[in-house]
Amino acid sequence: MLLALDIGNSNISMGVFQGERLLLRGKISAQIGRSADEYAAILNDLLRLEGVERRRLEGCILSSVVPTLTGLLEGAVRRLTDAPLVRVGPGLRTGFRIRIDDPSQLGGDLVADTLAALELYGPPLVLIDAGTVTTVAAVDGERTYLGGCILPGIRASAELMKETTALLPSISLGRSGEECLGRNSADAMRRGLLLGCAMMVDGFIGRYRALPGMAGARAVATGGSAELVTAACREEVSLVPDLTLQGLRLLYEGNRPWRRER
């Protein structure tokens, strides 16, 4: 069995695979104040809750965009198992080219997203990862990651509006349809956030498809807010909730240091 961990700014996504099958999927709140022992206990409890014995873990792969949590989670994993641990970073074989100024700056989650989407759909691709921030990226027909844009996350934007204004209320986010006229402050905020983000994503999809090598690119979305962000999009977007975890599995399979050609 393979343990896959994706450390994000708000949450840590966890998955356990048996071969290509995702047996369990869970989320842990990302808190810098926790110790490695606390994270080990939480991971162990999640495994036990699903009936997975930690001694059956044969490997682990970890991606992180929060350096202060990376070492803590590595320590937690090593408390759970002595199975080989792979960290997503420079030097790993990705199966695609990265054409940005400094490829080492590409987050491990985006590396995993790209590989999984290429495996599922092939190039070219427009990739949307909607979490604490929303990223929209382009992968051309030659399997080259060209770059992308980073937008404020929809939930963070809602919190910022509440924190920086005196009269606007706290709101819950849910599907609003395509009606663009709010009839009260809360409804206007909700529609503005959801439709505004959807229109931005639609606009980037259209512009990316106009780039060389990007004609007909399929749009693929993942992340905790992906369903909210894409629900009002007019462009067709394939929603894949487990895209990052699936990509981590593929990265692990392609980078086993003990694997040798015979």
Side-chain angles (χ1 to χ4, degrees):
M1 290 185 177
L2 173 68
L3 173 64
L5 295 171
D6 175 43
I7 304 171
N9 290 291
S10 301
N11 295 293
I12 300 164
S13 295
M14 167 190 175
V16 174
F17 290 89
Q18 185 165 37
E20 297 181 4
R21 182 182 167 209
L22 183 59
L23 293 181
L24 78 90
R25 184 176 187 263
K27 282 197 174 182
I28 304 167
S29 175
Q31 297 182 23
I32 296 173
R34 285 177 174 153
S35 67
D37 288 342
E38 288 175 304
Y39 277 115
I42 293 169
L43 291 171
N44 190 49
D45 285 346
L46 285 172
L47 292 172
R48 290 174 57 192
L49 188 65
E50 298 296 331
V52 176
E53 299 178 15
R54 62 182 184 177
R55 64 180 178 83
R56 298 178 62 192
L57 296 175
E58 300 170 316
C60 176
I61 184 165
L62 179 151
S63 68
S64 176
V65 296
V66 188
T68 50
L69 286 176
T70 306
L72 289 174
L73 267 295
E74 286 185 346
V77 169
R78 298 200 186 282
R79 288 292 307 272
L80 286 177
T81 176
D82 59 1
L85 172 63
V86 174
R87 187 203 293 185
V88 180
L92 256 64
R93 295 183 294 274
T94 62
F96 59 91
R97 290 178 291 276
I98 302 173
R99 201 175 77 193
I100 61 176
D101 292 343
D102 182 358
S104 68
Q105 290 186 353
L106 186 62
D109 54 345
L110 300 182
V111 172
D113 291 346
T114 303
L115 181 57
L118 285 169
E119 178 78 6
L120 286 171
Y121 302 110
L125 295 164
V126 177
L127 298 174
I128 301 108
D129 192 325
T132 305
V133 298
T134 298
T135 61
V136 188
V139 182
D140 71 12
E142 300 298 321
R143 297 174 68 93
T144 300
Y145 185 99
L146 301 176
C149 291
I150 301 175
L151 318 173
I154 192 167
R155 297 185 190 279
S157 295
E159 287 297 318
L160 182 63
M161 289 174 67
K162 170 56 183 164
E163 290 173 5
T164 56
T165 58
L167 295 178
L168 293 180
S170 296
I171 60 169
S172 60
L173 292 170
R175 293 195 179 197
S176 65
E178 292 201 9
E179 170 60 52
C180 58
L181 296 175
R183 307 299 178 183
N184 54 67
S185 294
D187 196 35
M189 290 171 64
R190 186 178 300 108
R191 293 180 187 279
L193 287 166
L194 295 169
L195 290 174
C197 194
M199 285 188 278
M200 282 193 292
V201 169
D202 279 340
F204 279 115
I205 292 172
R207 290 196 177 205
Y208 286 176
R209 284 175 176 161
L211 296 173
M214 290 292 296
R218 178 188 286 266
V220 182
T222 194
S225 298
E227 187 173 2
L228 283 175
V229 169
T230 61
C233 284
R234 292 187 173 178
E235 298 285 356
E236 182 178 350
V237 181
S238 298
L239 192 63
V240 187
D242 298 322
L243 191 70
T244 308
L245 293 176
Q246 293 290 350
L248 290 176
R249 176 185 64 80
L250 292 168
L251 284 168
Y252 182 84
E253 290 298 322
N255 288 276
R256 293 199 204 192
W258 58 94
R259 175 179 285 174
R260 296 290 183 270
E261 296 293 335
R262 296 187 178 183

